[in-house]
Amino acid sequence: MSSPAISYESLKEHLEALSMDAALTALDGVLEQGQKEQKSPVQILDHLLTLERAARFERRIKVNLRLSGIGLSKTLEGFDFEAQPSISKDLINELSTLRFVHSGENVLFLGPPGVGKSHLAISLSLKAIENGHRVYFLSVHDLVTKSRAAREKNRLLNLQHILVRPDLLVLDEIGYLPLKQEDATFLFEVVSKRYEKLKSIILTSNKTYASWGDIFPDPILATALLDRLLHHATTINIKGESFRLKNRRDAGLHPQTGL
Ligand code: ADP
Ligand code: MG
């Protein structure tokens, strides 16, 4: 049997070698408390590992948030459902359970500018990140810019991998600009790969499905893309006017100038 001092040193060394920083920091306190409260070795170990796992989870969330590309913080709590009666709060609450991410279903927010499509997409993304999911959020315009740069450097497959890997991909603002053939093809490949792997997409668009033919150079591609997107999907049609303009108008200000 080794002496307690040697076991303690070796325990610290193990934790260090395994990069279990939180457990290492908490070790003395956990051991002392365990002794004082006459905890069993199993209870002490469980306490230590629980702390380590919690710290790792928190770190993972921070990293995932940084990698997600989400710049703004928008929450469901900050969404005024009364101002937007065309959205069912129950449906959004159901989506916030993230069951759709687990089952690889898509969520499509459609509606005119300013009605909260991106707000809701960001809120659900943040919920997913808080729950340990990997999320990648980008506008379709950014996807096009990135794919062109990647194509030039022969790194298109690499970008495809980045877009297919996360548990949830958010494609914000499809439809503001018509897509060129090669950009549309790349988008189609990303959507198809995610469809095959049962991975969720949240998409926002100012266009109704009927006018997707205007976004895509090729109507067959538009139909094939919609087929995949809509196979397991919830569509939320948001009606009404821009939240900001409405607020200004309700406050008696001129809607365009805010004066
Ligand atoms: P969209 O993506 O539909 O064009 P956004 O989600 O960007 O619109 O909304 C525009 C702005 O108005 C954002 O700052 C958003 O947070 C805010 N907003 C929109 N609808 C609501 C709402 N119902 N409650 C609170 N804020 C809202
Ligand atoms: Mg938007």
Side-chain angles (χ1 to χ4, degrees):
M1 279 282 284
S2 52
S3 75
I6 291 175
S7 307
Y8 173 75
E9 280 310 316
S10 125
L11 189 55
K12 277 180 86 158
E13 229 178 84
H14 287 320
L15 294 178
E16 226 170 273
L18 292 168
S19 305
M20 295 172 73
D21 300 344
L24 187 63
T25 310
L27 181 63
D28 291 349
V30 170
L31 287 177
E32 259 169 48
Q33 192 190 345
Q35 215 166 24
K36 215 168 12 184
E37 295 172 12
Q38 297 189 326
K39 293 260 162 54
S40 69
V42 169
Q43 285 173 316
I44 294 174
L45 264 179
D46 184 65
H47 186 185
L48 198 67
L49 294 177
T50 301
L51 290 175
E52 177 65 30
R53 283 186 65 191
R56 284 187 181 202
F57 188 68
E58 211 170 293
R59 200 161 56 216
R60 188 165 108 204
I61 288 173
K62 275 197 190 136
V63 170
N64 285 353
L65 183 62
R66 189 156 41 79
L67 295 178
S68 71
I70 297 174
L72 289 168
S73 178
K74 299 279 177 188
T75 61
L76 290 179
E77 293 72 30
F79 194 80
D80 181 352
F81 284 92
E82 274 174 26
Q84 193 46 265
S86 70
I87 301 177
S88 150
K89 192 175 178 181
D90 287 346
L91 180 55
I92 302 295
N93 281 340
E94 153 62 25
L95 291 172
S96 74
T97 66
L98 303 174
R99 219 189 331 223
F100 77 99
V101 177
H102 288 279
S103 52
E105 290 171 27
N106 300 331
V107 180
L108 300 104
F109 291 105
L110 307 184
V115 292
K117 302 184 295 296
S118 300
H119 184 132
L120 291 169
I122 293 170
S123 310
L124 291 174
S125 301
L126 292 176
K127 270 263 159 13
I129 292 171
E130 275 166 29
N131 282 276
H133 292 291
R134 282 183 301 197
V135 177
Y136 198 68
F137 184 106
L138 82 174
S139 67
V140 171
H141 179 260
D142 282 347
L143 178 134
V144 167
T145 311
K146 279 181 197 286
S147 69
R148 288 183 186 168
R151 193 174 292 110
E152 265 178 32
K153 292 184 198 144
N154 240 336
R155 293 179 66 81
L156 208 54
L157 269 180
N158 193 275
L159 178 65
Q160 192 189 82
H161 183 64
I162 290 171
L163 298 171
V164 172
R165 204 175 54 157
D167 307 312
L168 173 63
L169 175 71
V170 185
L171 296 169
D172 197 25
E173 299 186 348
I174 188 163
Y176 282 92
L177 294 170
L179 296 170
K180 294 212 168 77
Q181 183 69 47
E182 56 183 7
D183 303 327
T185 305
F186 179 68
L187 178 65
F188 176 74
E189 279 163 5
V190 170
V191 169
S192 293
K193 284 258 159 15
R194 293 191 65 88
Y195 174 74
E196 283 159 19
K197 290 175 187 280
L198 273 180
K199 286 186 167 184
S200 295
I201 293 176
I202 295 182
L203 183 143
T204 80
S205 181
N206 62 336
K207 291 268 195 302
T208 60
Y209 297 136
S211 44
W212 272 42
D214 305 342
I215 312 172
F216 290 88
D218 168 358
I220 296 172
L221 193 73
T223 308
L225 191 100
L226 269 178
D227 263 4
R228 281 157 183 74
L229 277 173
L230 297 180
H231 189 188
H232 311 284
T234 303
T235 298
I236 297 169
N237 271 301
I238 312 181
K239 297 182 185 71
E241 59 181 328
S242 154
F243 181 76
R244 284 193 182 130
L245 293 188
K246 182 178 183 303
N247 268 2
R248 284 188 194 139
R249 219 212 25 243
D250 290 353
L253 302 172
H254 187 276
Q256 250 86 50
T257 61
L259 297 172

